[in-house]
Amino acid sequence: ELSSLNNNTALSQQPILTDDQKKRREDLCAIVGLLLNVITKGSIGCYETIGVIYAQQNFQMPGPDVGYVVAACGAVGVGFLLAFNFI
């Protein structure tokens, strides 16, 4: 019974956010997410482009075949992202 009393006391001491504070926090999270997306998009795109050129030159793969491989890897990546709830 003492542990449940301590849990209730700890819960009651947490700050309660107003709707305006919640909205600002959500907006800040969205802005940070967008900025991270913009910042990392160039570096990831660069590696994807280099990978295509590398595959065509060193493995003598035709363009469409490289495209299929890149698309398949992207599909696997999307599958992993969608499966995060289950992992």
Side-chain angles (χ1 to χ4, degrees):
E1 187 174 333
L2 183 58
S3 63
S4 66
L5 178 63
N6 289 338
N7 287 340
N8 290 337
T9 305
L11 290 175
S12 66
Q13 293 175 354
Q14 292 180 353
I16 298 174
L17 297 176
T18 64
D19 288 339
D20 189 44
Q21 290 172 327
K22 289 179 185 176
K23 177 74 171 131
R24 277 188 273 167
R25 182 177 284 179
E26 291 171 357
D27 290 345
L28 180 63
C29 289
I31 289 170
V32 168
L34 288 172
L35 288 175
L36 286 173
N37 189 20
V38 169
I39 290 168
T40 59
K41 190 63 77 173
S43 61
I44 293 170
C46 173
Y47 286 114
E48 288 174 355
T49 304
I50 290 172
V52 169
I53 294 169
Y54 183 84
Q56 286 178 324
Q57 290 178 353
N58 294 330
F59 300 123
Q60 288 76 36
M61 293 178 69
D65 290 347
V66 175
Y68 293 137
V69 171
V70 170
C73 290
V76 169
V78 168
F80 279 123
L81 288 174
L82 293 175
F84 270 169
N85 284 339
F86 303 110
I87 294 178

